[in-house]
Amino acid sequence: MTTLTIPSRVREEAILTPRTPHTSRIPGTPYTSAYPRTPHSSRYPVPSSARPTHPDDVDEQLLKNEEQMFVGFEDEEDDEEVKKPTWTGKDRRGIIFLIVLYLIQGVPMGLVLGSIPFLLREKLSYSQLGTFALSSFPFSSKLLWSPIVDSIYFPSVGRRRSWVIPLQFLLGSTMFYISWNVDKFLGNPGEHLTHLTFVFTCMVMVSATQDIAVDGWALTLLSKDALSYASTCQTIGMNSGYLLSFTLFLALNSESFVAKWGLPTLHLGTYLQFWGGVTWSVAVWVAFFQRETKTYEDHTPMPLWPTYKTIWQICKMRNIQMTILVHTLGKIGYAANEAATSLKMIDKGFKREDLAIAVLIDFPCQIVGGWIAAKWARGDQPLRPWIWSFWPRLGFCLLGTVLVYKFPSPPISSGFFAGLVVHTVLSSFIQTVQMVGMSAFHTRISDPLIGGTYMTLMATFTQLGNVWPKWFVLRGIDWLSVATCQIPGDLTLGEALCLDHEGKCVVERDGYYIVSGVCMVLGGILFITLILPMTRKLQCEPLHRIIP
């Protein structure tokens, strides 16, 4: 997250062009599917004696098959006219439905990554906030149980509905539970930090599990012409839910903001109860009105353990390992900015409601950026938007650090606030371009048979790249900072006790600037020496050499 913007999500995430019906089969065989197949989910299985068992053998076998797959297709592809994508009424309804589901999934993330840390900052240290930040980890580890979501279901209910319906009810119930205990959690968060982290982790875990089912459902819910916009549905839905839980809630939760505009104060308990009711209502709609289209894959379920073996075989491939490194290391340069810049501005006197207004202004720009990025990522070089956006995004991280350093004493001037808004909009647009591109890649390489697992494989490492540096960043800021609290009577206490004794916190050395500088320098070095060569190589690879 750049200053005042949304952290890469959700679903942090387009490298290669999708196969068309003419390039997804071997000459002489009947047409099977427009989607790429995994080694174990091929509709025309290869005899076990012919299957490669070693990663190098897999790549060698792919090279041998490459010439066969494209023999005789050159003329056919040259004669094929480029048609403008057309949407059906079913596609439009499916897009709206996906946006609603993703919106609900964005609500918990907006609380965990947005509002709650700001509400707790006055009572917790950066290290304690780092502990709470672990509650977003399920989105980075959902690959561990995604094969279960793909393999176990009730055929009479539907592969995806079997999970979405109960998960919606469970997510709503978790929201109600937190709303009933919110006074205890926020009243003394230090004492209940473990319990607070646990319940929010459970809520995020339910949301992450539903995300697996919804990602897989998108592959069959939309037609081929509309499939590339599944990532845009995710971006709009998740960002909308995030912004509602972040900007709208923070603004209406601020006493000064609601007093200025004559609005009622929105408490966290009331907000969670509202979304709990909405989530239950959507569950009822899916149970009684939303039907799931039966596909060939529904009649040939993927056994559980072979699915895990398929994941392991894919992860052993050299190109997949390169992709994983890009996902996990490509965001180190932004880590400090996303984790702490907005919190540091709050520390310096920036009002929460002003922060909410700045992000709210940014919201339409993110939607426009999502649509533009979706079209940009459809070309022959889908990784181009991600590559070109790296340095501008890193530059905005540097500018965010400078803004924190130059932040004036409250109240801030209109000109400085306008500068923050411009910085927020531009940096958010760059972030959205990168996120949509990577998410479109996940959609294109996914096999409908294990669609949720296939998309989750890459999305997991994308989210891991967002999450794993955050704990170290927040811990490092506390470790490198030197601050004392001075209260009447010449008594000097640690920063943690400053608020309890109504003292003045004096920061002698702010570790934020050290950590931010280290992250940006390290991120730039990794991009030049490792990430950029890998992404260029992956972009030149045919699809079937990355996903067999």
Side-chain angles (χ1 to χ4, degrees), residues 432-445:
T432 302
V433 169
Q434 286 195 316
M435 185 177 66
V436 171
M438 283 298 183
S439 183
F441 163 62
H442 301 158
T443 302
R444 291 171 177 175
I445 68 172

Side-chain angles (χ1 to χ4, degrees), residues 26 32 52 67 71 80 87 122 138 188 252 254 282 323 330 360 394 446 509 539:
I26 299 175
T32 58
E67 295 182 0
V71 170
E80 188 175 333
W87 290 2
E122 296 179 354
N188 191 356
L252 297 181
S254 171
V282 173
T323 306
L360 185 61
L394 196 66
S446 294
R509 185 181 66 197
Q539 188 163 243

Side-chain angles (χ1 to χ4, degrees), residues 348-516:
K348 291 204 168 188
F350 194 45
K351 296 181 180 180
R352 292 182 304 178
E353 56 269 25
D354 291 338
L355 171 66
I357 293 174
V359 180
L360 185 61
I361 295 173
D362 169 61
F363 176 57
C365 301
Q366 293 206 36
I367 296 179
V368 173
W371 284 97
I372 295 175
K375 294 182 178 181
W376 195 7
R378 296 181 62 189
D380 295 333
Q381 296 179 317
L383 263 186
R384 180 178 56 187
W386 192 93
I387 295 173
W388 286 7
S389 300
F390 180 87
W391 289 114
R393 186 174 177 183
L394 196 66
F396 281 115
C397 292
L398 175 60
L399 180 57
T401 304
V402 173
L403 288 174
V404 172
Y405 182 77
K406 295 291 187 179
F407 200 90
S409 301
I412 64 174
S413 64
S414 300
F416 190 86
F417 180 77
L420 288 177
V421 172
V422 172
H423 174 265
T424 299
V425 171
L426 295 178
S427 59
S428 175
F429 176 80
I430 296 298
Q431 174 191 342
T432 302
V433 169
Q434 286 195 316
M435 185 177 66
V436 171
M438 283 298 183
S439 183
F441 163 62
H442 301 158
T443 302
R444 291 171 177 175
I445 68 172
S446 294
D447 184 339
L449 181 57
I450 55 170
T453 297
Y454 231 136
M455 294 185 72
T456 303
L457 175 63
M458 292 295 102
T460 293
F461 293 105
T462 297
Q463 294 300 323
L464 184 62
N466 296 332
V467 173
W468 78 262
K470 190 171 186 177
W471 186 87
F472 295 97
V473 166
L474 295 175
R475 285 278 182 176
I477 291 175
D478 265 354
W479 184 63
L480 293 172
S481 296
V482 176
T484 57
C485 183
Q486 297 179 352
I487 63 175
D490 296 328
L491 179 63
T492 301
L493 300 174
E495 183 182 5
L497 300 177
C498 189
L499 291 177
D500 294 338
H501 293 78
E502 298 181 353
K504 178 181 179 181
C505 183
V506 179
V507 179
E508 300 175 7
R509 185 181 66 197
D510 196 336
Y512 163 76
Y513 302 108
I514 301 175
V515 174
S516 181

Side-chain angles (χ1 to χ4, degrees), residues 137-442:
F137 190 74
F139 257 102
S140 305
S141 57
K142 58 185 178 179
L143 178 65
L144 299 177
W145 61 88
S146 63
I148 299 176
V149 178
D150 274 319
S151 303
I152 300 176
Y153 61 96
F154 298 103
S156 59
V157 179
R159 182 187 292 268
R160 309 306 174 188
R161 291 174 73 248
S162 296
W163 287 92
V164 172
I165 294 171
L167 288 172
Q168 284 280 292
F169 280 114
L170 185 57
L171 180 59
S173 301
T174 307
M175 291 178 176
F176 279 115
Y177 174 80
I178 297 176
S179 70
W180 298 331
N181 295 273
V182 69
D183 292 336
K184 177 179 70 175
F185 291 148
L186 297 184
N188 191 356
E191 182 179 345
H192 301 95
L193 182 60
T194 302
H195 189 191
L196 176 67
T197 304
F198 174 76
V199 294
F200 273 94
T201 300
C202 292
M203 182 171 65
V204 173
M205 185 173 183
V206 174
S207 179
T209 305
Q210 177 177 302
D211 188 61
I212 300 170
V214 175
D215 284 346
W217 200 349
L219 298 176
T220 56
L221 186 65
L222 302 179
S223 67
K224 180 185 175 183
D225 286 337
L227 188 58
S228 63
Y229 288 91
S231 60
T232 304
C233 295
Q234 185 185 63
T235 300
I236 294 176
M238 292 287 288
N239 285 359
S240 298
Y242 183 96
L243 288 167
L244 289 173
S245 293
F246 184 21
T247 60
L248 180 64
F249 172 74
L250 274 186
L252 297 181
N253 184 253
S254 171
E255 295 181 358
S256 59
F257 180 85
V258 297
K260 177 180 179 180
W261 297 99
L263 300 173
T265 302
L266 179 61
H267 298 286
L268 180 59
T270 304
Y271 182 78
L272 285 170
Q273 289 174 5
F274 168 79
W275 280 109
V278 171
T279 304
W280 280 0
S281 300
V282 173
V284 172
W285 172 267
V286 176
F288 293 100
F289 301 103
Q290 183 68 40
R291 290 292 173 256
E292 184 176 351
T293 303
K294 297 292 183 179
T295 63
Y296 175 87
E297 286 75 17
D298 293 329
H299 300 285
T300 57
M302 189 70 177
L304 182 59
W305 292 116
T307 304
Y308 279 105
K309 292 180 180 179
T310 299
I311 294 176
W312 180 243
Q313 183 176 355
I314 293 173
C315 289
K316 290 192 296 183
M317 294 184 62
R318 180 166 48 89
N319 285 330
I320 290 296
Q321 292 173 353
M322 291 170 56
T323 306
I324 291 173
L325 284 176
V326 170
H327 285 321
T328 54
L329 300 180
K331 298 180 182 179
I332 290 180
Y334 324 133
N337 185 69
E338 294 183 354
T341 295
S342 295
L343 293 173
K344 294 302 296 184
M345 287 191 176
I346 296 295
D347 287 348
K348 291 204 168 188
F350 194 45
K351 296 181 180 180
R352 292 182 304 178
E353 56 269 25
D354 291 338
L355 171 66
I357 293 174
V359 180
L360 185 61
I361 295 173
D362 169 61
F363 176 57
C365 301
Q366 293 206 36
I367 296 179
V368 173
W371 284 97
I372 295 175
K375 294 182 178 181
W376 195 7
R378 296 181 62 189
D380 295 333
Q381 296 179 317
L383 263 186
R384 180 178 56 187
W386 192 93
I387 295 173
W388 286 7
S389 300
F390 180 87
W391 289 114
R393 186 174 177 183
L394 196 66
F396 281 115
C397 292
L398 175 60
L399 180 57
T401 304
V402 173
L403 288 174
V404 172
Y405 182 77
K406 295 291 187 179
F407 200 90
S409 301
I412 64 174
S413 64
S414 300
F416 190 86
F417 180 77
L420 288 177
V421 172
V422 172
H423 174 265
T424 299
V425 171
L426 295 178
S427 59
S428 175
F429 176 80
I430 296 298
Q431 174 191 342
T432 302
V433 169
Q434 286 195 316
M435 185 177 66
V436 171
M438 283 298 183
S439 183
F441 163 62
H442 301 158

